Amino acid sequence: MVIIKTPQEIEQMHTAGKLLAEVHRQLRKRVVPGVTTLELDKFVEEFLLDHGAYPEQKGYEGFPYSICASVNDEICHGFPTKKPLKSGDILTIDMVVRVGDWLADSAWSYGVGEISEKAQNLLDVTREAMYEGIKKAVIGNRLGDIGHVIQNYAESRGYSVVREFIGHGIGQEMHEDPQVLHYGKPGRGLRIQEGMVFTIEPMINTGAWKVKIDDNGWTARTIDGGLSAQYEHTLAITKDGPIILTDQGDV
């Protein structure tokens, strides 16, 4: 069942989203060669707690960290480690922030130092695919319209779209209805209504879209070792169009 949010509830989620966006702005200057993802995890947790918020992922179904930190061929749910990042890596940081009773969710991919043209193109296409999907998140469209435009945009540029992980409703719980696929046919799926709040979070690969899971039971990586990137926003559906609750403002 899709839980429709009131304008007041959306505003409370926006508060969480603004703080989450600020965390990503802070991370931009901290994702540099030599830093470890465990150090970034520590920074995020302390920043959130200092601002009266909580890293909702920590402890979720046993997940032990405040962020997911996925490097290069890791698609999502990467564990932070003591291994220093090196120039040329790409890193996706995904997190869920709770402020009071309400949540926001956003992932962002970062280039570490000087990255290759291949890696930069992947980041650019993945980010734009997300925004193309957001454009379709308007009252009266269907969820399949979002997935179709993301798949078409990515595949027309030679990339593949991960199927196993999808966008989702969010509110007082991390995962609510509806499910938001990043592939599919237009005109299919649930009709988009005012008051829905959900994520759009395509994961795009340079190679095949299929995944394999590490022994930790969490980390998904590309089956062929290709690079993967992800961008994610939480958005609320209004009569005036989608509001990006996790908008960073200057990217």
Side-chain angles (χ1 to χ4, degrees):
M1 180 183 72
V2 176
I3 301 172
I4 299 298
K5 276 71 176 182
T6 67
Q8 293 77 20
E9 291 169 340
I10 288 170
E11 188 54 40
Q12 291 181 74
M13 295 187 71
H14 205 174
T15 298
K18 289 174 182 176
L19 182 60
L20 202 167
E22 179 57 31
V23 177
H24 276 299
R25 282 192 290 266
Q26 293 292 325
L27 285 169
R28 288 182 216 166
K29 53 194 174 187
R30 290 173 168 80
V31 177
V32 295
V35 75
T36 72
T37 48
L38 264 177
E39 290 170 334
L40 297 175
D41 179 77
K42 182 175 185 288
F43 164 75
V44 168
E45 181 168 356
E46 291 178 350
F47 185 92
L48 292 176
L49 294 175
D50 286 347
H51 287 79
Y54 185 77
E56 188 72 7
Q57 283 162 232
K58 190 167 187 176
Y60 176 78
E61 294 187 356
F63 189 82
Y65 301 102
S66 297
I67 62 172
C68 298
S70 305
V71 181
N72 294 332
D73 67 327
E74 294 176 339
I75 296 169
C76 62
H77 305 156
F79 278 21
T81 73
K82 295 180 180 179
K83 182 179 179 180
L85 295 171
K86 64 183 185 298
S87 187
D89 287 339
I90 60 174
L91 166 68
T92 298
I93 295 179
D94 185 10
M95 72 188 89
V96 181
V97 170
R98 177 178 292 277
V99 176
D101 294 330
W102 297 92
L103 302 173
D105 188 359
S106 180
W108 214 254
S109 288
Y110 299 89
V112 181
E114 295 294 324
I115 64 173
S116 68
E117 182 179 359
K118 176 183 179 179
Q120 187 61 58
N121 286 342
L122 173 66
L123 299 189
D124 292 344
V125 168
T126 306
R127 185 175 60 252
E128 189 56 33
M130 174 188 66
Y131 284 117
E132 288 296 310
I134 289 172
K135 291 176 187 176
K136 294 294 184 180
V138 297
I139 295 170
N141 277 358
R142 293 186 181 273
L143 292 176
D145 299 330
I146 296 172
H148 173 73
V149 73
I150 289 171
Q151 182 181 15
N152 185 65
Y153 187 89
E155 291 182 352
S156 69
R157 287 154 178 80
Y159 299 98
S160 65
V161 180
V162 173
R163 269 55 163 185
E164 284 88 344
F165 303 100
I166 59 178
H168 53 87
I170 185 171
Q172 292 183 306
E173 300 293 334
M174 190 185 303
H175 295 118
E176 299 179 353
D177 289 333
Q179 296 186 339
V180 183
L181 306 184
H182 303 116
Y183 61 95
K185 296 182 179 180
R188 304 283 182 87
L190 194 66
R191 196 173 295 279
I192 298 170
Q193 304 174 53
E194 183 176 1
M196 286 182 172
V197 180
F198 54 78
T199 70
I200 294 178
E201 48 181 296
M203 303 167 201
I204 307 297
N205 298 345
T206 57
W209 59 263
K210 292 186 177 180
V211 312
K212 56 185 177 181
I213 305 297
D214 283 359
D215 291 341
N216 63 28
W218 282 95
T219 305
R221 65 178 70 237
T222 60
I223 200 165
D224 55 11
L227 296 175
S228 186
Q230 180 194 14
Y231 290 86
E232 173 188 15
H233 275 313
T234 299
L235 55 142
I237 307 304
T238 78
K239 62 181 185 301
D240 299 317
I243 297 174
I244 301 175
L245 302 181
T246 48
D247 186 17
Q248 296 180 32
D250 55 351
V251 292

